[in-house]
């Protein structure tokens, strides 16, 4: 078995741009499965938080954005969608679990949804995952039993700044604005304050607009 090619994040950005500009979408999954990201190029984006995972922007243009996500032990996302965009996820350190959901019914006016939970699977270095635009709802978490942090690289094409989050138990859903923990290696003003998230209800549907804005830094 061939050793994975070791490349920098800048090299990954250049190759990703070339693949997407030439509409070679499926080639990106293969690329992410066959590379290893140089640890030193990840260093500016390794921002961990003790209460939630972090979203760290590395590159963004009209075609795609690339983020580094840092997951503490037991950290998880909300169940969320991807606005119909192409999305790829590659773990570069540790292991993450992913559970996809099928939407069986949705009332947009009442903001209710019925979800069917599918079996979860694990992704680790060398097993990149691509989100199916036709079934784009999933949950991602760092299994606490593995007892180690994780770092993942995510590509979204095209970029989106809001998504829908779902509460499988209540059947409620709503739009949520996305936030970055850091941009181009620098912590955003919100996260420089270093405040810990308060205890939050199980679904953002139960939050005030201000509380949702605070919480949305930990959605995909």
């Amino acid at each position: 078995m061939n050793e994975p090619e070791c490349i920098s994040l800048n090299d990954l950005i250049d190759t990703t741009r070339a693949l997407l500009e030439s509409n070679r979408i499926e080639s990106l999954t293969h690329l992410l499965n066959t590379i290893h990201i140089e640890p030193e190029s990840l260093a500016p984006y390794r921002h961990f938080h003790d209460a939630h995972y972090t979203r760290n922007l590395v590159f963004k243009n009209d075609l795609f954005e690339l983020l580094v996500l840092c997951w503490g032990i037991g950290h998880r996302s909300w169940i969320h969608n991807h606005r119909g965009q192409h999305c790829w996820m590659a773990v570069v350190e540790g292991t993450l679990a992913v559970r996809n959901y099928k939407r069986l019914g949705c009332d947009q006016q009442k903001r209710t949804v019925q979800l069917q939970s599918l079996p979860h699977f694990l992704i680790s270095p060398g097993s990149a995952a691509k989100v199916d635009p036709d079934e784009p709802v999933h949950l991602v978490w760092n299994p606490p039993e593995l007892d180690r942090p994780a770092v993942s690289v995510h590509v979204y094409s095209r970029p989106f700044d809001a998504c829908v989050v779902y509460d499988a138990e209540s059947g409620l859903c709503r739009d949520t604005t996305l936030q970055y923990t850091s941009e181009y290696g620098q912590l955003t003003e919100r996260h420089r304050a270093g405040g810990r998230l308060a205890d939050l209800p199980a679904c953002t549907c139960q939050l005030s607009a201000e509380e949702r804005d605070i919480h949305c830094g930990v959605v995909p």
Side-chain angles (χ1 to χ4, degrees):
M1 184 175 180
N2 294 331
E3 289 292 321
E5 180 184 3
C6 190
I7 68 172
S8 69
L9 277 177
N10 285 337
D11 290 336
L12 176 58
I13 290 166
D14 290 342
T15 306
T16 298
R17 181 191 291 112
L19 291 175
L20 294 178
E21 286 179 347
S22 59
N23 202 32
R24 289 181 287 166
I25 292 174
E26 298 308 322
S27 297
L28 185 51
T29 305
H30 174 74
L31 171 69
L32 293 172
N33 276 325
T34 56
I35 60 170
H36 174 73
I37 304 296
E38 295 174 351
E40 55 269 28
S41 73
L42 285 170
Y45 314 103
R46 290 176 55 89
H47 297 290
F48 284 88
H49 193 288
D50 61 353
H52 55 82
Y53 76 93
T54 64
R55 305 178 73 246
N56 304 286
L57 179 65
V58 180
F59 174 85
K60 185 175 185 178
N61 65 11
D62 290 339
L63 181 60
F64 74 99
E65 65 178 344
L66 188 146
L67 280 72
V68 170
L69 273 59
C70 299
W71 309 76
I73 297 168
H75 288 172
R76 62 175 53 215
S77 72
W78 292 97
I79 302 171
H80 60 275
N81 76 354
H82 297 84
R83 291 296 196 205
Q85 302 306 309
H86 292 285
C87 307
W88 294 262
M89 174 171 56
V91 172
V92 294
E93 297 176 18
T95 299
L96 293 174
V98 180
R99 184 183 301 280
N100 291 325
Y101 292 81
K102 291 182 69 71
R103 289 175 295 185
L104 303 180
C106 179
D107 187 322
Q108 294 186 358
Q109 187 172 16
K110 294 181 179 179
R111 306 301 287 169
T112 59
V113 67
Q114 183 181 1
L115 297 176
Q116 177 187 346
S117 174
L118 301 176
H120 80 276
F121 58 93
L122 300 178
I123 57 173
S124 54
S127 59
K130 182 180 184 299
V131 174
D132 182 352
D134 294 326
E135 292 291 346
V137 178
H138 72 189
L139 164 71
V140 182
W141 73 98
N142 182 5
E145 62 271 19
L146 299 183
D147 196 31
R148 63 172 297 184
V151 177
S152 54
V153 171
H154 298 240
V155 177
Y156 303 110
S157 180
R158 297 185 180 266
F160 53 95
D161 58 10
C163 70
V164 179
V165 294
Y166 305 86
D167 182 351
E169 292 187 8
S170 70
L172 298 175
C173 63
R174 76 173 307 132
D175 292 329
T176 290
T177 302
L178 301 175
Q179 304 284 343
Y180 301 119
T181 304
S182 69
E183 298 180 5
Y184 313 110
Q186 301 297 316
L187 287 174
T188 61
E189 183 176 353
R190 178 191 300 275
H191 289 86
R192 280 198 300 270
R196 182 183 176 90
L197 292 179
D199 292 334
L200 295 170
C203 177
T204 52
C205 309
Q206 304 167 27
L207 302 180
S208 69
E210 182 178 1
E211 289 171 325
R212 284 199 305 275
D213 285 344
I214 294 172
H215 179 67
C216 287
V218 300
V219 179

